[in-house]
């Protein structure tokens, strides 16, 4: 008799409906999943049922890889990277998984042979919007690269029930709609109910003596919440590695408080459950801004505690002892959101595993690395002491102890420097007292990095200067990168095919190979194909805009695109000032020869960020006037496309001619959108900010439109006392544009509507739009000139794409592995019959 374990499926010895790759097997699998998983037959199945059946069919084909990967990591000596992030902005799974499995065309054809519309199914997938923007999307790109490079890794985060809100535009204003991404089910995740973990909150601590008469502390919480892990496989490109993304959902330990229930208080009984489950209900929709809400700290502690307890469990299951934890896991803190992990690991090691402080501290510092993603003061997390101690009383004690020891070291190096002590302290005591999370992360990590060369330099000079002076060896730069799988192969198949026809497919996992395209820059035939490809993609987007938003745009015009979160520092309103300048020129001189342009905007504003919402209204109002003015004759169009998300990005990056990266120098830590545009052959107009600087270095100054003040000039101007009125009064063009907005010209005569925005510019202009205005306009004039020479423009476009090798997330991850994590690839072996087909 065969035992259960010997069943063929576990031996992986035969091709079945769940692994097979013949068209017949795939068709059978689709029908099977529709019937047995969705419980539908074709007579009753909805489009979503078919999508689910297809998704299960694809997921099934990933499971052997996932299982083998997970199994391989249980071996002693394998070091696993643990990426702790409050956000993972994954985007749709289906196409990406098909590409990484290498079966996109096969499955597409097979689906179509069954009479279903593949594209329709692909497009109805709900994307998991579990992030705000750059930081969350970076985490998703890094997960892709970790798997592609065969690095053992787990991503840990939060399974928000409601992700980033969906955006609608009504009467030009942003309206937020709840993102119910789970409402029809999520076929890509598997809940692991038996691996649930308990997390404590609140209460008090008490001291006691252990059996060796050592003083110890125990935490008596007043609330316990269960963390249930939901796992999603993240498959690498054409490799067998499928790492896990483990997202935690909060649940109450018991559904009912039985006493209250028995007393007849039914609603009171379920209340506790509801309150606990609130922790993972909703993503805070702020990018580059903190909201010091208690629930946010609960979210952070909840997912970090679940994750660290999970890692310790996995480590001990290998047969290791707690003392070697840092050899099993390299934990990266994606900004300060998970930085409470430093105190939590100390608590686990000292209180629960009874290690001595010094040993626990060594393990902790060896375990963590900290990535800073922002210099903006409003984004630096700090928690009021009171709130912190109510929620995490034991952690506050531990933080005090860390601080005392750390400040002791500082005092030894810098005696009599009390200012320095106050600046470095983990506790801000300048007014109301706060815990400074960036300080906790910096002290508790062995490595600290910024996300672009300039950003890392500014960290060293400014925000973390005292830490840099104290521990210069901890600091390195890791310029961001993006995955070419999703951002070229999935999103831009036309360009991917053209490149592959010229240089083969190696570039997909070795992006530096795109350099070979430089050899074809002088080839007129290739340039023609390149131009035609861009044209086809633009036409595709133009049709999409017409069909979905009813606006006609001219695909032969220059597509000038700014898509990113709405923020004053990103200066979407500077772009608007340029648009109004062009509009004025055409009104004053209707026969002026200009390069026709379509301005495309997209991006969400944080719901409480009034000025950002007003900028959206301004873009739409200016668009209304321009798009309906017959004098414009298709020469200018302005469209604000609602609901910028990953799917939207995939559609729009490939279609851009010009990428707007126009933040005030020193404000954008890196940017990653800038990389996606350039990879897809757009030219950049940008300031010397974030990764723009490195992009310009790579593509060549002659292939980049540079304008604006440098960071140094910005600091200098501000320190001399910046006065926006000087620019307004001395630049008639700028004055005209501002006056036109103030006059109510774009607001049906309402002179109040845009006043807060105009006043903010005239009286403060914190992001120096006026100072950069003329330089921006002049640079845009150069863009117009350059676009008229299509042959030359095409050469620049090819060179931009060809020189983007550095900005692959594979490069970034290799640097993290070598310089921070000390992690190496582990090859995953599959059963022979699967391997042979792969
Ligand atoms: N808002 C930066 O502002 C950067 C990403 C990823 C940001 C971007 O310039 O590209 O991170 N910062 O590194 C951030 O989220 C908390 O700080 C971002 O996405
Ligand atoms: N949001 C989405 C959906 C993205 O794809 C990106 C690109 O990386 C971003 C936000 C960040 O854009 P940026 O770097 O331009 O701020």
């Amino acid at each position: 008799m065969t035992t259960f374990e010997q069943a063929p499926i576990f031996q992986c010895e035969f091709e079945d409906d769940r692994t097979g790759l013949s068209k017949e097997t795939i068709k059978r699998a689709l029908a099977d999943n529709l019937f047995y998983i969705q419980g539908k037959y074709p007579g009753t199945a909805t489009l979503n049922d078919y999508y689910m059946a297809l998704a299960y069919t694809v997921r099934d084909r990933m499971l052997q890889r996932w299982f083998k990967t997970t199994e391989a990591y249980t071996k002693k000596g394998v070091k696993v990277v643990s990426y702790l992030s409050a956000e993972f902005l994954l985007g749709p799974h289906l196409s990406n998984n098909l590409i990484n499995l290498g079966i996109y065309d096969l499955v597409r054809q097979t689906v179509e042979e069954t009479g279903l519309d593949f594209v329709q199914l692909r497009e109805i997938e709900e994307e998991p919007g579990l992030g705000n923007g750059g930081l969350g999307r970076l985490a998703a790109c890094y997960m892709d690269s970790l798997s592609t490079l065969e690095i053992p890794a787990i991503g840990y985060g939060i399974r928000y029930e409601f992700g980033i809100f969906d955006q609608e535009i009504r009467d030009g204003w942003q309206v937020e709609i709840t993102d119910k991404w789970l409402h029809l089910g999520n076929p890509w995740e598997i809940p692991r109910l038996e691996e649930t973990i308990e997390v404590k909150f609140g209460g008090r601590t008490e001291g006691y003596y252990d059996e060796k008469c050592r003083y110890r502390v125990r935490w008596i919480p007043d609330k316990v919440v269960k963390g249930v892990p939901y796992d999603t496989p993240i498959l690498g490109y054409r490799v067998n590695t499928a790492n896990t993304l483990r997202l935690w959902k909060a649940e109450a330990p018991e559904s009912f408080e039985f006493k209250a229930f028995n007393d007849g208080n039914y609603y009171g009984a379920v209340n506790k459950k509801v309150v606990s489950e609130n922790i993972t209900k909703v993503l805070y929709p702020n990018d580059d801004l903190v909201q010091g809400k208690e629930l946010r700290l609960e979210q952070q502690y909840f997912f970090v505690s679940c994750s660290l307890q999970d890692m310790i469990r996995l480590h001990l299951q290998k047969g290791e002892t707690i003392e070697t934890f840092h050899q099993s896991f390299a934990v990266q803190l994606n900004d300060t959101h998970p930085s409470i992990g430093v105190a939590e690991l100390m608590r686990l090691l000292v209180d629960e595993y009874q290690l001595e402080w010094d040993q626990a501290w060594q393990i902790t510092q060896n375990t963590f690395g900290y990535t800073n993603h922002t210099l903006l003061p409003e984004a630096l997390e700090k928690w009021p002491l009171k709130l912190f101690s109510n929620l995490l009383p034991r952690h506050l004690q531990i933080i005090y102890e860390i601080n005392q020891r750390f400040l002791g070291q500082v005092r030894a190096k810098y005696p009599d420097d009390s200012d320095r002590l106050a600046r470095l302290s983990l506790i801000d005591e300048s007014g109301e007292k706060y815990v400074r999370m960036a300080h906790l992360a910096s002290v508790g990590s062995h490595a600290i990095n910024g996300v672009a060369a300039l950003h890392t330099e500014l960290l060293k000079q400014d925000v973390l200067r005292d830490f840099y002076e104290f521990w210069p060896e901890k600091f390195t730069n890791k310029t961001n990168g993006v995955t070419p799988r999703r951002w070229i192969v999935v999103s831009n198949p036309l360009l991917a095919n053209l490149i592959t026809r010229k240089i083969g497919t190696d570039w997909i996992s070795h992006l530096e190979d795109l350099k070979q395209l430089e050899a074809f820059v002088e080839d007129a035939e290739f340039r023609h194909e390149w131009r035609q490809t861009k044209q086809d993609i633009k036409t595709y987007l133009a049709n999409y805009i017409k069909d979905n938003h009813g606006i006609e745009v001219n695909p032969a015009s220059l597509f000038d695109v700014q898509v990113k979160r709405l923020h004053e520092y990103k200066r979407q309103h500077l772009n608007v000032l340029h648009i109004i300048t062009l509009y004025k020129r055409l009104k004053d001189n209707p026969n002026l020869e200009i390069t026709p342009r379509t301005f495309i905007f997209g991006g969400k504003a944080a719901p409480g960020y009034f000025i950002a919402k007003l900028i959206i209204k301004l873009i739409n109002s200016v668009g209304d006037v321009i798009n309906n003015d017959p004098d414009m004759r298709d020469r200018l169009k302005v469209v604000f496309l609602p609901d910028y998300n990953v799917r939207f990005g995939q559609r729009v990056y490939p279609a851009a001619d010009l990428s707007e990266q126009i933040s005030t120098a020193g404000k954008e830590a890196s940017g990653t959108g800038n990389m996606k545009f350039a990879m897809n052959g757009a030219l950049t107009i940008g300031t010397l900010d974030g990764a723009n600087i490195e992009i310009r270095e790579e593509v060549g100054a002659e292939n980049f439109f540079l304008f604006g003040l440098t960071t140094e000039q910005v600091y200098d101007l501000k320190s001399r006392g910046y006065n926006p009125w000087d620019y307004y009064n001395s630049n008639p063009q700028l004055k005209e544009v501002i006056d036109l907005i103030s006059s109510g010209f774009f607001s049906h005569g309402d002179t109040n509507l845009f006043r807060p925005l105009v006043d903010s510019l005239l009286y403060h202009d914190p992001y120096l739009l006026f100072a950069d205005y003329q330089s921006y306009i002049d640079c845009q004039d150069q863009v117009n000139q350059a676009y008229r020479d299509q042959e030359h423009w095409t050469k620049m476009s090819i060179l931009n794409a060809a020189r983007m090798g550095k900005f692959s997330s594979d490069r970034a991850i290799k640097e993290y592995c070598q310089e921070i994590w000390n992690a190496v690839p582990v090859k995953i072996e599959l059963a022979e019959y699967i391997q042979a087909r792969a």
Side-chain angles (χ1 to χ4, degrees), residues 704-706 777-787 793:
F704 188 103
F705 297 100
L706 179 69
I777 299 295
D778 295 344
C779 191
Q780 287 285 17
D781 289 341
Q782 287 169 28
V783 171
N784 281 340
Q785 283 305 322
Y787 195 70
W793 184 278

Side-chain angles (χ1 to χ4, degrees), residues 133-135 138 287-288 335 337 373-374 451 480 569 668-672:
L135 170 135
L138 184 78
D287 188 66
D288 264 327
D335 213 81
H337 318 147
H373 292 266
T374 184
V451 289
N480 285 344
Y569 85 77
E668 187 72 88
S670 163
T672 44

